[in-house]
Amino acid sequence: MKVLVIGNGGREHALAWKLGQSRKVDKVYVAPGNAGTAVDAENVPIAATNFPELIRFAKAERVGLTVVGPELPLTLGIVDAFEKEGLRVFGPNRRAAQMEGSKIFCKKILRAGSVPTAAYSEFDNQQDAVAYLNRNSELPVVVKADGLAAGKGVIVCDNGAEAIDAVKRICADREFGDAGNRFIIEERLTGQEASVLAITDSKTIMTLQPAQDHKPAFDGDRGPNTGGMGAYSPAPLVDDETLHWIESHVLVPTVHTLNKNETPFRGVLYAGLMMQTGTKTPAKVLEYNARFGDPECQPLLMRLQTDLVDVFEAVIDQRLGLLPPLAFDQRPAVCVVMASKGYPGSSEKGFPITGIEDAESIPDVKVFHAGTALDKEGRVVTNGGRVLGVTALGETIAEAKRRAYEAVSKIHWQGVWYRKDISDKAIF
Ligand code: AMP
Ligand code: GLY
């Protein structure tokens, strides 16, 4: 079978690499891909949002399965467009992808399903929001633009003045454009965060092993938020008992409520959770994503032993319940993101990268590419903010971390930086 992966990040490299290992797959294409997917698969120069061209390609090449990585094409309806043409595609349709594309839609589903989450109010103008903040000035809040804002539409506020400023940024400055036409103000939660991803066909839920991301740019969780500077799995913070609790109190009611709402979800449902360990409600939902996390996907797929094609096809045919549970390598995996100077702000591109082969010669290490490209001479060069996700397995998290950083130390380019403490939260 031929498989097409849509996207160009580290998540899509990991998906292409894993799908390529399936006994059912003889060819993997990635559109548009990066320098890493050019090696592990074949790149197709079509943008992830150019649906007519992607459909034309999938038909011409007789692609048997298309897997959509990023949220933007999902929320724009890529799955609806492919299905209309009779093409087999893994991911939620446009309506179901609102779980990520609209924070208000997501909150309504959570509320209807009694899923634990922060209390919130919905707004569409500055005046009402400021009046609300003045009435509730003692409450720590988070202000969130409703729509997709490249991960930047969430403003965590330390005090009332910051919250009023956040509202101004959304309404008056229109920092997030139309994504901020509506917004929510919600209770600020505290605790450690964890990511629990599940694959669902809307009838059966297959929960993946828990993972933890590192969103702040710098060591010790300081600095601006990023797309994620590293991840590891499993997350010892989410033990088996807690994972079961999350399945029955978070994932099951979410999937059930989506069905009742006539927006059945088929794809990856990613719960971003604030852990409240030791309380009656050990986890509350911060957000849902409608896809694999990046970089969580990289350590998760390093550990996954089940053939992903079988799982994705079962979701498309709604027979996930007939499959055995997912099998994972018991060894933990750690992924360290190597970034360009300037990230998460703007960064220069085009710096040659050396040492990737050396890094990959270490056993149980895989270097997933994100912002990379091949230059005219065929050299691998930087092409974005998050450049590589260096991922390693080890007998323990400490061992996986040591191995990942040993691999990182072999790789160089001008301006490279990375966090030095990925997975430390898991090492007690
Ligand atoms: P989101 O895109 O909704 O996951 O938000 C991005 C980040 O903002 C999360 O990973 C949290 O660190 C933070 N965040 C979101 N909602 C809340 C909340 N209610 N309380 C505290 N922090 C939050
Ligand atoms: N790593 C967070 C995300 O993919 O949204």
Side-chain angles (χ1 to χ4, degrees), residues 11 71 100 151 195 213-215 226-231 270 287 289 291-297 386:
R11 164 184 51 214
E71 59 276 19
E100 176 160 7
S195 307
D213 189 9
H214 296 66
K215 284 211 172 113
T226 69
M229 294 303 298
Y270 160 148
E287 63 160 353
N289 294 321
R291 45 156 180 97
F292 281 103
D294 189 342
E296 294 96 320
C297 187
R386 291 193 294 174

Side-chain angles (χ1 to χ4, degrees), residues 36-53:
T37 59
V39 174
D40 287 323
E42 185 178 324
N43 288 347
V44 186
I46 307 175
T49 49
N50 187 348
F51 302 167
E53 275 304 303

Side-chain angles (χ1 to χ4, degrees), residues 183-309:
F183 55 100
I184 60 178
I185 300 180
E186 73 174 29
E187 167 199 7
R188 179 172 171 180
L189 303 173
T190 51
Q192 279 221 57
E193 289 178 46
S195 307
V196 174
L197 285 73
I199 298 177
T200 179
D201 62 357
S202 79
K203 295 184 193 159
T204 300
I205 296 166
M206 277 189 171
T207 308
L208 278 69
Q209 289 271 297
Q212 206 168 19
D213 189 9
H214 296 66
K215 284 211 172 113
F218 307 132
D219 287 12
D221 282 345
R222 286 174 300 110
N225 254 343
T226 69
M229 294 303 298
Y232 62 94
S233 167
L237 176 70
V238 184
D239 58 17
D240 286 349
E241 194 189 330
T242 311
L243 193 60
H244 276 124
W245 188 94
I246 292 166
E247 279 174 347
S248 54
H249 292 80
V250 173
L251 296 169
V252 169
T254 300
V255 169
H256 179 66
T257 310
L258 282 162
N259 286 334
K260 278 212 303 205
N261 190 54
E262 294 178 13
T263 47
F265 191 100
R266 292 196 284 272
V268 177
L269 202 47
Y270 160 148
L273 302 165
M274 190 69 96
M275 304 309 296
Q276 321 264 283
T277 312
T279 71
K280 259 186 14 205
T281 309
K284 286 187 176 174
V285 175
L286 291 174
E287 63 160 353
Y288 266 112
N289 294 321
R291 45 156 180 97
F292 281 103
D294 189 342
E296 294 96 320
C297 187
Q298 290 83 316
L300 282 169
L301 294 192
M302 271 297 264
R303 297 186 59 218
L304 184 71
Q305 291 166 327
T306 307
D307 188 328
L308 256 193
V309 173

Side-chain angles (χ1 to χ4, degrees), residues 95-108:
R95 278 160 54 84
Q98 290 178 93
M99 278 303 269
E100 176 160 7
S102 164
K103 299 215 187 289
I104 293 172
F105 176 89
C106 177
K107 280 292 200 182
K108 286 190 171 146

